[in-house]
């Protein structure tokens, strides 16, 4: 365990504050110090609320001195993606259109975390309206990767991935509609949980695609993600899609060994066209899982390209439907790329959309049948480490669209199926860029993938590697 408070994991620092080894003020000041160092290089924060954070930390310390703990996150400083509404706060959603939008309600996921007692550091940058997989933002500038400043963070939870990696916040909410938690986790070397569709309420979170959006955390460890999920999961009268399925003891699951678990490795698609570094790290991860007692089996999955295309189609139509009024009234306030993507969604016929929705049940049934003998599936998050900001800039690089399509190949199928997936740091490229593997679970079985992720993190230290400023 690090004795520098900002470098601790979420669960470590929460325990240290509860035991009065550090005050919330000390921890918050340590985070603010790192933010002052890193923010000019990363552009990870949309807003830093230093004075208010220190005041809240002092209040948390005063409460604890009286024996009043507000919950498992008491006094822990956190910041979240700037699309979670908090009453009285500006929530930009990474856009010009919402630049001055002040929320009148607080999102359920955020409120459930707030009820556990954390300190708000500010809000984190994101792709415009969460519609972009790289971390580019034409209005507020790109977010930079702490491990290589000229490389992307992944999106749309770009600030979340960058800020957690640089230890500016102990964790951050992201959202995953086509990979927007897992890609920043992969590119920035942190742990990211894409939850089962319906596991966490989306009430008060800016929508992108109503049938694909999921709320999930980015943090240092699988244990941290388990703690956050345990606080957020469960039904919500404000969101009819939030499931009543039982909420497991996710933290307990992270303590269990994985001996005897069966983990599937796909025979195709997820193992095709991998960069040499990613292929090497996949093999190393398989070897570690075997050493930890898991049984590795090959699985033949249905055609994932069809699932990926179906995800893109649903996302395009639903995003266009949500944005229709602004597309008519304020088209000039979108960046050209986001405007084009939204307008494309308006051109897809309703029959095609409904056919794509109807195919989801059979597609999930086929996946369940193909993976019936395994507890989880292991696959890379992306076939490559982070490309540079320049080579993924659609406005200035002719090959950028091809780069982006390649980046998102391995994440979209899981969104279409609504399944949970945990991105776990698994190694580094020869150039020093992080690479993650994803553990794809059964519906509402986050406990098993968190269990496997925690076992990997007990056996490796990739999640503890720190970026440095030159």
């Amino acid at each position: 365990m690090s004795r520098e408070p900002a470098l601790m994991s979420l669960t470590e620092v929460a325990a240290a504050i509860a035991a009065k080894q550090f005050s919330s003020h000390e921890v918050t000041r340590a985070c603010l110090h790192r933010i002052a160092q890193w923010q000019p290089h990363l552009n990870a924060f949309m807003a830093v609320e230093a004075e208010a954070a220190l005041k809240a930390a002092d209040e948390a310390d005063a409460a604890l001195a009286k024996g009043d703990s507000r919950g498992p996150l008491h006094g822990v400083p956190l910041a979240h993606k700037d699309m979670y509404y908090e009453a009285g706060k500006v929530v930009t959603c990474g856009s010009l259109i919402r630049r001055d939008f002040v929320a009148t309600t607080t999102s359920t996921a955020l409120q459930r975390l707030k009820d556990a007692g954390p300190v708000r550091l500010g809000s984190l940058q994101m792709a415009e309206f969460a519609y972009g997989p790289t971390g580019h933002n034409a209005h507020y500038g790109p977010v930079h990767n702490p491990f290589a400043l000229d490389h992307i963070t992944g999106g749309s939870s770009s600030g979340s991935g960058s800020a957690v990696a640089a230890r500016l916040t102990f964790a951050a909410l992201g959202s995953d509609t086509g990979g927007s938690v897992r890609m920043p986790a992969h590119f920035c070397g942190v742990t990211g949980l894409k939850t089962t569709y319906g596991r966490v309420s989306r009430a008060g979170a800016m929508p992108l695609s109503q049938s694909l959006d999921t709320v999930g955390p980015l943090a240092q460890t699988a244990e941290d993600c388990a703690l956050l999920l345990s606080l957020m999961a469960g039904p919500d009268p404000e969101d009819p899609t939030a499931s009543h399925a039982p909420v497991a003891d996710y933290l307990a699951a992270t303590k269990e060994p994985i001996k005897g678990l069966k983990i599937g490795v796909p025979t195709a698609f997820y193992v095709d066209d991998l960069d040499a570094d990613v292929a090497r790290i996949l093999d190393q991860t398989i070897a570690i899982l075997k050493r930890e007692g898991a049984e590795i089996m090959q699985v033949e999955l249905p055609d994932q390209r069809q699932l990926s295309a179906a995800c893109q189609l649903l996302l395009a139509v639903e995003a266009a439907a949500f944005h229709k009024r602004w597309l008519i009234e304020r088209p000039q306030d979108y960046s050209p790329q986001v405007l084009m993507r939204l307008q494309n969604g308006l051109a897809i016929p309703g029959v095609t959309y409904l056919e794509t929705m109807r195919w989801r049940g059979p597609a999930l049934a086929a996946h369940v049948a193909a993976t019936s003998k395994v507890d989880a599936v292991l696959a890379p998050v992306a076939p490559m480490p982070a490309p540079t900001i320049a080579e993924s800039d659609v406005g200035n690089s002719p090959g950028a669209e091809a780069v982006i399509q390649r980046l998102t190949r391995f994440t979209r199928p899981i969104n279409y199926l609504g399944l949970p997936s945990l991105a776990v740091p698994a190694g580094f490229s020869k150039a020093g860029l992080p690479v993650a593997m994803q553990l794809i679970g059964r519906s509402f079985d986050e406990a098993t993938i968190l269990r496997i992720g925690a076992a990997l993190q007990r056996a490796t230290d990739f999640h503890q590697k720190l970026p440095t400023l030159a």
Side-chain angles (χ1 to χ4, degrees):
M1 182 192 292
S2 169
R3 296 320 297 168
E4 187 180 332
L7 304 186
M8 289 177 157
S9 72
L10 173 74
T11 47
E12 287 171 348
V13 83
I17 291 171
K20 299 183 182 172
Q21 293 165 353
F22 288 109
S23 68
S24 174
H25 184 99
E26 287 175 295
V27 176
T28 302
R29 193 169 282 287
C31 288
L32 290 169
H33 177 69
R34 288 188 71 84
I35 291 167
Q37 286 180 305
W38 280 91
Q39 171 64 5
H41 304 279
L42 298 181
N43 190 32
F45 274 77
M46 187 67 79
V48 179
E49 300 168 12
E51 196 175 316
L54 288 169
K55 183 171 181 285
D58 288 339
E59 289 169 359
D61 289 332
L64 201 58
K66 295 177 193 161
D68 176 18
S69 171
R70 294 170 186 160
L73 301 178
H74 184 99
V76 177
L78 296 177
H80 302 293
K81 187 175 184 177
D82 199 27
M83 56 166 270
Y84 288 94
Y85 303 162
E86 181 163 357
K89 298 287 185 184
V90 172
V91 183
T92 70
C93 304
S95 70
L96 280 188
I97 288 174
R98 284 260 164 120
R99 182 171 54 185
D100 301 314
F101 168 72
V102 178
T104 55
T105 59
T106 299
S107 82
T108 300
L110 192 58
Q111 187 61 54
R112 287 177 179 174
L113 294 185
K114 282 181 69 177
D115 290 345
V119 167
R120 178 184 165 104
L121 286 169
S123 57
L124 296 171
Q125 258 269 42
M126 58 181 284
E128 181 182 0
F129 284 121
Y131 209 176
T134 59
H136 288 270
N137 187 307
H139 308 301
Y140 301 102
V143 182
H144 298 263
N145 191 317
F147 283 95
L149 295 176
D150 56 343
H151 286 248
I152 67 165
T153 56
S156 61
S157 310
S158 47
S160 301
S162 181
V164 172
R167 308 302 194 253
L168 312 186
T169 175
F170 293 97
L173 285 183
S175 64
D176 198 311
T177 305
S180 290
V181 162
R182 288 163 291 156
M183 281 189 290
H186 164 70
F187 293 131
C188 295
V190 302
T191 307
L193 177 62
K194 180 240 175 279
T195 52
T196 306
Y197 180 81
R199 178 69 293 178
V200 178
S201 170
R202 302 169 304 170
M206 184 218 74
L208 176 60
S209 172
Q210 65 192 32
S211 65
L212 299 169
D213 291 345
T214 56
V215 172
L218 294 98
Q220 278 190 49
T221 68
E223 185 183 29
D224 294 347
C225 289
L227 172 59
L228 294 166
L229 180 60
S230 68
L231 294 170
M232 295 188 292
D236 175 22
E238 299 298 319
D239 178 3
T241 68
S243 173
H244 288 258
V247 176
D249 187 339
Y250 302 116
L251 271 171
T254 63
K255 307 290 191 284
E256 294 176 28
I258 60 168
K259 186 173 174 58
L261 287 186
K262 294 181 170 64
I263 299 171
V265 177
T267 55
F269 188 75
Y270 294 101
V271 293
D272 299 339
D273 189 28
L274 300 180
D275 278 15
D277 285 316
V278 177
R280 167 179 58 82
I281 290 166
L282 172 60
D283 288 344
Q284 286 175 356
T285 306
I286 290 168
I288 293 163
L289 289 168
K290 283 181 178 172
R291 206 163 60 231
E292 293 299 304
E295 185 181 337
I296 304 297
M297 302 171 64
Q298 289 207 312
V299 289
E300 199 167 325
L301 299 175
D303 188 350
Q304 301 293 291
R305 290 167 302 179
Q306 290 180 315
L307 302 178
S308 185
C311 176
Q312 282 183 291
L313 192 145
L314 293 188
L315 203 167
V317 173
E318 293 176 357
F322 176 75
H323 284 269
K324 185 182 173 188
R325 180 170 61 86
W326 289 331
L327 288 171
I328 293 166
E329 295 174 1
R330 303 182 63 173
Q332 73 282 359
D333 289 336
Y334 290 96
S335 67
Q337 280 75 43
V338 172
L339 179 64
M340 180 185 69
R341 294 181 82 185
L342 288 168
Q343 288 172 333
N344 287 345
L346 294 172
I348 295 169
V351 169
T352 306
Y353 171 77
L354 285 171
E355 284 175 339
T356 308
M357 285 294 282
R358 271 209 305 258
W359 186 55
R360 273 183 112 170
L364 180 58
H367 175 89
V368 169
T371 58
S372 61
K373 292 186 170 65
V374 298
D375 297 293
V377 173
L378 175 74
V381 174
M384 58 198 284
T388 64
I389 290 170
E391 68 191 344
S392 58
D393 183 353
V394 175
N396 296 305
S397 172
E401 194 54 52
V403 171
I404 290 168
Q405 286 299 321
R406 190 168 176 234
L407 291 183
T408 54
R409 277 176 58 215
F410 295 166
T411 52
R412 285 191 300 254
I414 293 101
N415 292 88
Y416 181 70
L417 296 173
L419 297 170
S421 179
L422 181 71
V424 183
F428 287 83
S429 72
K430 287 189 167 57
L433 292 165
V435 170
M437 294 292 136
Q438 60 179 328
L439 295 155
I440 304 158
R442 302 187 186 100
S443 292
F444 298 103
D445 189 17
E446 283 84 358
T448 297
I449 56 177
L450 287 163
R451 176 182 172 187
I452 300 166
L456 275 171
Q457 291 178 337
R458 285 193 293 272
T460 64
D461 64 354
F462 302 119
H463 59 292
Q464 296 172 338
K465 298 288 188 195
L466 283 172
T468 53
L469 275 175

